[in-house]
Amino acid sequence: MRDRRAVDALLVAVLFGTACAVVRARGFDHVSDDDFARVTIAQAFAHAPKLDPSGTSWLPFPFWALGTVMAVAGRSLAVARAASVMFAAMAAPLPYLAMRSVGCARRASFAGAALALATPWALWLGASTVPESFTASAAAAGAIAIGGAATIRRALLLGAAAIAVACLSRYEPWPLAPVLAVALLVRAYRERAPNLLAPLAIVVAAPLAWMAWNAHAHGSAVHFLQRVATYRRAVGQGTEGDVLGALVLYPRLFVSTRPELLVALVATAPRLLRAPLRGRWLVPLACALAQVTFLAYGAVKDGAPTHHPQRALLLTFVVVACASADALASWLEAGSRTAAAAAALTGVLAIVGLRPLLAPPGSGESEDRRPQIARGRELAGAPSLVVTPCAYEHFALVAAYGAPERVVIAPKTDAPVTATCPAVEMR
């Protein structure tokens, strides 16, 4: 049984990694300039490791992981991209394995993985150098494994470790920590099982550790929230009094980005309320609801992501996809025609939802960073550079150059970004 699961997990990883490679080969390059900014931080970590590689609000684990690979394999942009796809592919089977660990059938688990991952944003984020893909897979797997009423202790510990890694990678999984901690505490009390306190401690450790670090390094445990809110307001993305618009932003994005999941969830809701599905999915779905609530609150306080906000919902998409697939599979086994109709509609909407792959983020003329990447590679032999950006396009050049410690960044000019930006002086 374990060997079969290992083969299945390898298959999911290979298929997802291949799909990400195809997406990149067909023209996808990056989500935003953050992709390249993250690469430069990882390059700096590979050159001179430190506990908080970015020194900003960005969480450290992705830089530890990518920087370690680059320290061994080289600091080129190509290495960063290949390693990022590898991380996403390695994490892709985790929701499948978590579903199997809580008693889901093999077909249902495959269907959950497919519904979760065979979508534009999952593929774009998996093919980019940002950490949302592996974070969402790890966090969803942790929520499923810990939330399962009959999960064994080993799976609980692995799920808790996945949550800890996710919480050190992105802020979106943070609301899962208190929900899962309460679930573990309740289970420990009911089962008289104090050994469940170990996974509980692991679940909450990462957010608490990061807040402690912020208190030490920046004088405030929530410095990261203040930094994000300040930046959003500076670039004109604050709520500006539109509280209602901020509150409904993420629920609206859920519906517009993944309508097939809404159909599947609504259709299967009555079945998810029954045992044994309720025992498997009550806590993970509560985690998904907590995440959407957290994001809505963050949007009101100007603490939400500053661009492409739908990417922050990837974790919720994975959880809902897995729960819906499990419920639909059990319903179909009962021979329900309604279930067959719901499954067919879900599949059709999912296929239609792949159309945005034809126009991925970062593909517009103003977002084209190929000139900067080419210049950075040409300058790779220069001992040092002084770079004057127009906006944030210089990160692509510096990432391709491969040695950010030898680059001095002058204040940006705020001029329109063209192929000649940024200005570069060799020293």
Side-chain angles (χ1 to χ4, degrees):
M1 178 63 73
R2 288 183 180 177
D3 289 342
R4 189 176 189 181
R5 291 185 185 182
V7 171
D8 289 348
L10 179 61
L11 177 62
V12 173
V14 170
L15 287 175
F16 185 69
T18 301
C20 291
V22 170
V23 166
R24 180 166 285 282
R26 290 183 61 84
F28 170 78
D29 187 67
H30 62 282
V31 175
S32 73
D33 287 317
D34 283 358
D35 295 40
F36 303 110
R38 285 183 171 276
V39 172
T40 65
I41 295 170
Q43 289 169 334
F45 177 85
H47 174 72
K50 57 181 180 178
L51 182 64
D52 183 5
S54 76
T56 68
S57 60
W58 280 347
L59 288 150
F61 183 83
F63 305 116
W64 296 343
L66 183 56
T68 299
V69 171
M70 297 178 88
V72 175
R75 295 194 291 167
S76 71
L77 182 57
V79 168
R81 286 172 163 172
S84 296
V85 172
M86 178 188 70
F87 291 145
M90 290 172 62
L94 296 180
Y96 167 85
L97 293 172
M99 289 181 71
R100 301 288 281 139
S101 75
V102 297
C104 297
R106 183 169 180 252
R107 289 183 180 179
S109 302
F110 269 130
L115 191 58
L117 300 174
T119 65
W121 274 104
L123 294 170
W124 289 330
L125 293 167
S128 66
T129 55
V130 293
E132 280 95 329
S133 179
F134 79 78
T135 299
S137 294
I144 295 167
I146 295 172
T151 306
I152 61 174
R153 186 169 184 269
R154 180 185 177 189
L156 287 174
L157 288 171
L158 291 174
I163 293 293
V165 168
C167 286
L168 283 175
S169 301
R170 294 286 302 175
Y171 293 105
E172 290 89 354
W174 279 36
L176 276 62
V179 174
L180 295 174
V182 170
L184 286 167
L185 191 62
V186 169
R187 182 174 171 183
Y189 175 77
R190 287 178 177 174
E191 299 178 10
R192 301 294 190 270
N195 60 348
L196 294 181
L197 297 179
L200 188 158
I202 296 171
V203 161
V204 300
L208 292 178
W210 184 245
M211 286 191 289
W213 169 255
N214 273 263
H216 165 73
H218 304 289
S220 170
V222 292
H223 164 262
F224 48 92
L225 294 177
Q226 298 163 357
R227 186 182 181 98
V228 171
T230 300
Y231 177 76
R232 280 178 62 90
R233 291 162 188 161
V235 298
Q237 293 189 16
T239 59
E240 298 179 351
D242 186 12
V243 175
L244 180 60
L247 282 173
V248 302
L249 171 63
Y250 284 96
R252 179 173 57 81
L253 284 172
F254 181 98
V255 176
S256 62
T257 307
R258 299 295 306 271
E260 73 278 13
L261 292 186
L262 179 65
V263 169
L265 184 61
V266 170
T268 59
R271 200 163 191 90
L272 286 167
L273 294 174
R274 305 176 192 171
L277 292 178
R278 183 179 66 247
R280 285 204 285 261
W281 295 109
L282 179 62
V283 173
L285 288 173
C287 288
L289 179 60
Q291 195 220 8
V292 174
T293 303
F294 175 77
L295 288 170
Y297 176 79
V300 171
K301 295 294 185 180
D302 296 328
T306 54
H307 59 83
H308 304 106
Q310 56 270 59
R311 65 194 166 94
L313 287 169
L314 189 60
L315 162 57
T316 291
F317 293 155
V318 175
V319 171
V320 173
C322 292
S324 300
D326 187 25
L328 279 172
S330 67
W331 200 7
L332 285 168
E333 287 181 2
S336 169
R337 292 184 179 179
T338 304
L345 180 57
T346 298
V348 169
L349 289 174
I351 293 172
V352 171
L354 291 172
R355 289 183 301 174
L357 284 172
L358 300 174
S363 61
E365 184 177 348
S366 64
E367 296 292 328
D368 186 1
R369 297 294 178 259
R370 286 175 297 179
Q372 288 80 14
I373 292 171
R375 289 176 66 206
R377 288 172 175 161
E378 291 172 359
L379 293 165
S384 64
L385 305 175
V386 176
V387 175
T388 304
C390 292
Y392 300 102
E393 80 294 338
H394 64 290
F395 286 118
L397 185 148
V398 177
Y401 177 65
E405 72 280 359
R406 301 204 307 264
V407 179
V408 175
I409 308 296
K412 61 188 178 74
T413 64
D414 290 323
V417 176
T418 66
T420 61
C421 296
V424 179
E425 177 186 348
M426 290 185 287
R427 289 187 176 179

